[in-house]
Amino acid sequence: MTFALDATAQDLLFREAHTANTFTDEPVSEEQIEAVYDLVKLAPTAFNQSPLRITLIRSAEARERLVRRLAEGNQAKTRSAPLTAILSVDLEFHERLPELFPAMPGLKDAVFAERAAREQAGTLNATLQAGYFILGVRAAGLAAGPMTGFDAAGVDKEFFGDGRQKALMVVNIGRPGPDAYRPRAPRLSARDAVTTL
Amino acid sequence: MTFALDATAQDLLFREAHTANTFTDEPVSEEQIEAVYDLVKLAPTAFNQSPLRITLIRSAEARERLVRRLAEGNQAKTRSAPLTAILSVDLEFHERLPELFPAMPGLKDAVFAERAAREQAGTLNATLQAGYFILGVRAAGLAAGPMTGFDAAGVDKEFFGDGRQKALMVVNIGRPGPDAYRPRAPRLSARDAVTTL
């Protein structure tokens, strides 16, 4: 089996990439993250709903507000990361659908009038986009440290007080520092994860 | 801003890749999908929980059972795709955690004893893996056609009758056929999707 993607790129995105737990001081700019976003925004979501939102934690004050909502084991590494992103779903994503999916002008009201429908579809599609984003960070030559260990209700209240967005995960971004990586744990084999009918 | 990933790879995965709606007859083998899985399984999930399962619909009988659960607009293209995958979350993923995350032997029972906790974390992490998988299909030089328009309860009943798995999405996989692509709709700009605090 030959991939169209060359081995160097496979290594960069998957084989040699690891979740980083320490970071160097080298800064990561908003422009870098915007370039990552501009690449990964092209990957698909249902009805092109594009519900992912990215909140970059740059100021010391915002970082401290975030860190105290994280699980204890995630605090020190997040204080040391040059940039941290909260990935969230915009539960009002449907407002932009007439522009994002012009082929079905009625979609916004026909399918997504209810918040519960938006929460289900939006969470699924924003999480898909989170997967694209993590690989996009790696494509930029940076290491990602995604985390779900945080007080989600607390983060939502602190950063998304109007209830419009819900945090899905927090991602530290930077160059890996000393002892950045845990040994890679085993993965499930295809025999365990793939079934053919 | 320079990416570490070269422009050819960026194009393959993002810029020139599109969701396919028609497919050629060229077969897609289980080996190809297993190679995709073996690449993308390396990308991160929380506690390495790896909850994604892939059910490949190969036989005519299984395909017909799936197609009648799909939204009408997804039926013809799924009949014509050389291979279709149901991506699902294994709600008993925690059984494998002692092997997948040996650093925390108590994790299985301490955090994931309740099905509700497994459903929340498993759905999030399997959906992340679905994002990796879609890009992995593209890395293999194939086109993906992900769909969420189906009777999820019906698919679960038909394919996962014991309640252990829940379908997240269905993905047609193959070489793009004639008129495979819709025009690309606009995406949200970084100005709309990225905020810095």
Side-chain angles (χ1 to χ4, degrees):
Chain A
M1 154 80 191
T2 310
F3 279 85
L5 189 72
D6 66 53
T8 304
Q10 292 175 42
D11 289 346
L12 176 74
L13 297 181
F14 297 104
R15 293 211 178 85
E16 292 178 3
H18 294 265
T19 291
N21 293 294
T22 71
F23 298 90
T24 69
D25 290 340
E26 186 179 325
V28 176
S29 68
E30 282 88 332
E31 289 69 26
Q32 283 174 286
I33 302 306
E34 287 173 8
V36 168
Y37 172 78
D38 281 334
L39 185 65
V40 304
K41 73 181 181 186
L42 300 174
T45 57
F47 298 122
N48 192 31
Q49 61 191 253
S50 310
L52 178 71
R53 300 295 178 269
I54 300 169
T55 304
L56 298 178
I57 304 299
R58 165 73 66 205
S59 71
E61 173 268 338
R63 182 170 300 277
E64 221 25 64
R65 286 201 287 141
L66 175 62
V67 165
R68 63 171 180 255
R69 305 296 192 174
L70 298 180
E72 203 175 326
N74 288 331
Q75 294 189 354
K77 61 186 171 188
T78 303
R79 280 206 180 87
S80 82
L83 191 64
T84 300
I86 303 173
L87 304 189
S88 59
V89 51
D90 180 358
L91 296 173
E92 306 292 326
F93 70 83
H94 67 315
E95 289 176 0
R96 303 297 293 268
L97 280 175
E99 165 196 351
L100 293 174
F101 204 73
M104 290 176 66
L107 190 61
K108 169 176 173 285
D109 299 312
V111 178
F112 294 114
E114 302 291 333
R115 184 173 162 114
R118 299 197 297 274
E119 185 150 357
Q120 192 277 331
T123 301
L124 181 90
N125 284 281
T127 305
L128 260 188
Q129 288 185 285
Y132 307 146
F133 179 78
I134 289 167
L135 297 182
V137 167
R138 292 172 165 190
L142 297 166
M147 301 173 287
T148 53
F150 58 88
D151 166 12
V155 168
D156 290 347
K157 192 173 167 203
E158 189 70 41
F159 292 95
F160 311 120
D162 61 1
R164 179 175 173 138
Q165 293 183 55
K166 291 185 84 159
L168 300 171
M169 69 193 68
V170 176
V171 186
N172 288 323
I173 302 170
R175 303 273 178 197
D179 301 315
Y181 306 131
R182 294 200 194 98
R184 175 167 275 161
R187 298 300 198 262
L188 293 182
S189 69
R191 182 186 300 260
D192 287 329
V194 184
T195 306
T196 301
L197 297 183
Chain B
M1 154 81 190
T2 310
F3 279 85
L5 189 72
D6 67 51
T8 304
Q10 292 175 42
D11 288 347
L12 177 74
L13 298 180
F14 296 105
R15 292 212 179 86
E16 290 178 5
H18 294 265
T19 291
N21 293 295
T22 72
F23 298 90
T24 69
D25 290 340
E26 186 178 324
V28 176
S29 68
E30 282 88 332
E31 289 68 26
Q32 284 174 286
I33 302 306
E34 286 173 9
V36 168
Y37 173 78
D38 281 333
L39 185 65
V40 303
K41 72 181 181 186
L42 300 174
T45 58
F47 298 121
N48 193 32
Q49 62 191 253
S50 311
L52 179 71
R53 301 295 178 267
I54 300 169
T55 302
L56 298 177
I57 303 300
R58 164 72 67 203
S59 71
E61 174 269 337
R63 183 170 300 277
E64 218 30 60
R65 287 201 287 139
L66 175 61
V67 164
R68 63 171 179 255
R69 304 295 192 175
L70 299 180
E72 203 176 326
N74 288 331
Q75 294 189 351
K77 60 186 171 187
T78 303
R79 281 207 180 87
S80 82
L83 192 65
T84 300
I86 303 174
L87 304 188
S88 59
V89 51
D90 180 358
L91 296 174
E92 306 293 325
F93 69 82
H94 67 315
E95 290 176 0
R96 303 298 293 268
L97 280 176
E99 166 196 349
L100 293 174
F101 204 73
M104 291 175 67
L107 190 62
K108 168 175 174 287
D109 300 312
V111 178
F112 294 115
E114 303 289 335
R115 184 173 162 113
R118 300 196 298 274
E119 183 150 356
Q120 192 277 330
T123 301
L124 182 90
N125 284 283
T127 305
L128 260 189
Q129 288 185 283
Y132 308 146
F133 179 78
I134 289 167
L135 297 183
V137 167
R138 292 172 167 191
L142 297 166
M147 301 173 286
T148 52
F150 57 90
D151 167 12
V155 168
D156 290 347
K157 192 173 169 203
E158 189 72 40
F159 293 94
F160 312 119
D162 61 2
R164 180 175 172 138
Q165 293 183 54
K166 291 185 83 159
L168 300 171
M169 69 194 67
V170 176
V171 185
N172 288 323
I173 302 170
R175 302 274 177 194
D179 301 317
Y181 306 131
R182 295 199 193 97
R184 176 165 274 160
R187 298 300 197 262
L188 292 181
S189 69
R191 181 185 300 258
D192 286 329
V194 184
T195 305
T196 301
L197 297 181

